[in-house]
Amino acid sequence: MFRLFKDRNFVVFWFGEMVSVIGDHISLIAFPWLVLQMTNSAALTGLVFAVQGIPRAALMLAGGAMVDRTSPRLVMMISNALRFFLVMFVAYMISEDTVDLTSVFLMAFTFGVADAFFYPASTSIIPRLVSHDQLQAGNAIVQTTLHLGMTVGPVIAGLIIAGEVNSIHHQADSAAVSATAINSYEQDREGLARAFFVDGLTFALSFITLLFVKVWGLNEDEKPVAGTSVYSEIREAALWVWSIPAVRLGFVGMAVIHFFFMPMIFVGLPVWAKERFFEGAYVYGLVTASFGLGAFIGAIASGFLAGPKDENLVPTMFKLYVFSGSTLALIIFYDPYWWAMLLFFITGVFESFLYVHFTTWLQRITPAALLGRVMSILMLMSMGLLPIADAIMGFAIDWSLEATMIGSAAFLMLFCGLIAAHPLSRVVTARVSAAQR
């Protein structure tokens, strides 16, 4: 795996993305905390994520087609430039105390447009940077970097926002917490501005490094057919995905997991931390960082250890997703922060390990001309439902945090168990070739 660090081109790309990922996970903590502190509403926190997710879902397949037509590097550069200006503007408004919900919603919408093109590009660029036999190593390094950012970024965010943390106390230990205490918006405003400013700098650095990265072009026989419509190109990729049962079930399963699991992380977990701990932002950062640390270890392991055989890959993934679902209920039944950190650490290890192998397998079997679109479908299935999910789960969490998290856990455990046991999850060849359609 470490042989790739002798490749100057890959190292430049890796460095820029490492810094960018750390910044992403600073804003991933700062953004929901900003909305929650401004409104004290889980519903509005979920709704602002929905506003960001709607254009992302609507445009993501077109983003994948754009990647196949142009270059993932170019698409990433344009997206990073746009997100740099957006984040810096948010930081300025917060520092001047002029930010309001309308501006937050507008920024979230525009950010979603940029994301729609960035995500398929970022998942399609590795096969253009490394040789075919280095795909697993390249994906392992990228995932390791991603989860290093998930480990470091949230802790940095918690410290930046909170300023300093003297201790972590359970809310239940004292009834003296008031609206003007540690968790107030005014208390965190300067820290939030700093967090968004740092995130903006990381986008700028990522843009600069991409200027020096070279990617391989496609051969003439690998390029999309000239003159075809975007709809036809998207349909071609969708038919290919549908033709392989294991891919089809994997994609559908990920859509359901992200519908019920991710809103609990972005909306439920900050509410859980805010309700139960004095230093809510710091606890939220610690728990998220624990998942990142586990995923960091899992990603490193994936670069050295073989994964399940192709026919066992999807069943194994969903067997372990049963545990992921259970964590949502387990932190409700027993809620010390160290317990949540332990559960999310374990989840991170195996989720990252298997995701690297799943992504590598998918990149290897996908025709080169379809890669951007197929990866955009994966991103759509894993993230496209988040707008609806965030809104629905936000209102549900406002009604009852405990019931929503326990109900989501129960459904995920049942659903993932069924996918793992389904015989088609082991079928890894096309029953009807997409090329014949």
Side-chain angles (χ1 to χ4, degrees):
M1 181 174 82
F2 295 111
R3 284 183 298 173
L4 279 176
F5 285 105
K6 296 180 181 179
D7 182 343
R8 177 184 173 278
N9 191 52
F10 182 83
V11 169
V12 172
F13 167 78
W14 167 79
F15 176 75
E17 289 310 293
M18 177 184 68
V19 175
S20 179
V21 163
I22 291 174
D24 286 345
H25 287 87
I26 291 174
S27 65
L28 200 61
I29 298 297
F31 204 78
W33 199 253
L34 168 65
V35 179
L36 190 60
Q37 293 293 69
M38 288 177 65
T39 66
N40 203 34
S41 168
L44 286 173
T45 303
L47 189 59
V48 77
F49 276 119
V51 169
Q52 180 178 345
I54 289 171
R56 182 174 60 205
L59 296 173
M60 192 170 288
L61 295 180
M66 180 65 68
V67 170
D68 285 336
R69 288 184 175 192
T70 57
S71 160
R73 170 181 167 272
L74 176 62
V75 174
M76 290 174 70
M77 289 176 63
I78 295 172
S79 299
N80 276 337
L82 177 58
R83 294 189 296 178
F84 163 77
F85 288 111
L86 288 172
V87 170
M88 284 300 194
F89 189 53
V90 171
Y92 172 77
M93 287 193 298
I94 295 172
S95 67
E96 295 296 313
D97 201 15
T98 58
V99 68
D100 55 26
L101 276 183
T102 300
S103 58
V104 170
F105 276 85
L106 287 173
M107 291 296 164
F109 182 89
T110 311
F111 214 91
V113 173
D115 286 346
F117 293 87
F118 180 83
Y119 286 141
S122 65
T123 54
S124 303
I125 196 171
I126 297 301
R128 305 275 194 99
L129 290 172
V130 303
S131 60
H132 196 71
D133 61 345
Q134 290 289 328
L135 268 181
Q136 181 176 329
N139 284 316
I141 291 172
V142 169
Q143 286 299 308
T144 299
T145 302
L146 171 65
H147 297 301
L148 175 64
M150 290 180 66
T151 304
V152 176
V155 174
I156 294 174
L159 292 172
I160 291 174
I161 295 170
E164 63 176 341
V165 177
N166 297 319
S167 61
I168 300 175
H169 295 296
H170 216 275
Q171 287 272 42
D173 293 341
S174 173
V177 179
S178 68
T180 59
I182 294 174
N183 285 337
S184 69
Y185 168 67
E186 191 57 37
Q187 177 86 19
D188 289 341
R189 183 172 62 82
E190 291 186 5
L192 284 163
R194 289 193 299 267
F196 283 108
F197 178 76
V198 171
D199 188 35
L201 293 180
T202 65
F203 282 127
L205 183 56
S206 179
F207 176 88
I208 292 170
T209 56
L210 284 169
L211 290 172
F212 300 96
V213 172
K214 297 180 181 179
V215 296
W216 302 333
L218 296 175
N219 297 325
E220 287 300 320
D221 59 344
E222 294 177 327
K223 294 180 180 179
V225 178
T228 57
S229 66
V230 171
Y231 170 79
S232 298
E233 293 176 5
I234 293 172
R235 182 177 182 274
E236 180 186 11
L239 289 173
W240 183 87
V241 168
W242 193 260
S243 72
I244 303 176
V247 175
R248 180 170 74 237
L249 281 177
F251 278 32
V252 172
M254 285 189 177
V256 173
I257 290 168
H258 281 76
F259 189 95
F260 287 91
F261 188 78
M262 297 311 296
M264 297 302 105
I265 302 301
F266 294 132
V267 183
L269 199 56
V271 173
W272 172 84
K274 180 179 175 69
E275 287 184 355
R276 301 182 183 220
F277 298 91
F278 278 96
E279 294 85 359
Y282 188 62
V283 171
Y284 179 38
L286 283 177
V287 175
T288 308
S290 297
F291 177 85
L293 178 60
F296 176 73
I297 294 172
I300 292 177
S302 70
F304 297 97
L305 302 176
K309 295 181 178 179
D310 290 355
E311 62 271 19
N312 294 327
L313 181 57
V314 171
T316 302
M317 284 175 58
F318 282 90
K319 286 176 184 176
L320 293 174
Y321 283 150
V322 172
F323 175 78
S324 297
S326 73
T327 61
L328 301 177
L330 291 173
I331 66 171
I332 295 297
F333 294 136
Y334 186 63
D335 63 1
Y337 72 91
W338 64 264
W339 172 243
M341 291 173 65
L342 175 63
L343 292 176
F344 279 89
F345 172 81
I346 296 171
T347 298
V349 171
F350 65 70
E351 282 200 3
S352 175
F353 179 82
L354 290 170
Y355 185 78
V356 168
H357 287 289
F358 180 77
T359 303
T360 301
W361 172 65
L362 189 62
Q363 290 171 342
R364 283 175 175 164
I365 67 174
T366 303
L370 298 178
L371 188 58
R373 283 162 284 169
V374 168
M375 299 311 290
S376 73
I377 295 173
L378 175 62
M379 293 293 99
L380 177 65
M381 298 301 284
S382 61
M383 304 184 71
L385 291 177
L386 280 178
I388 300 171
D390 285 336
I392 293 175
M393 294 302 178
F395 283 105
I397 289 168
D398 260 355
W399 168 69
S400 173
L401 172 69
E402 291 77 9
T404 302
M405 294 190 73
I406 293 171
S408 296
F411 178 81
L412 284 171
M413 293 170 68
L414 176 62
F415 178 84
C416 293
L418 292 174
I419 291 286
H422 201 295
L424 288 180
S425 66
R426 299 180 181 274
V427 180
V428 296
T429 55
R431 292 192 164 186
V432 178
S433 173
Q436 296 175 344
R437 293 184 181 258

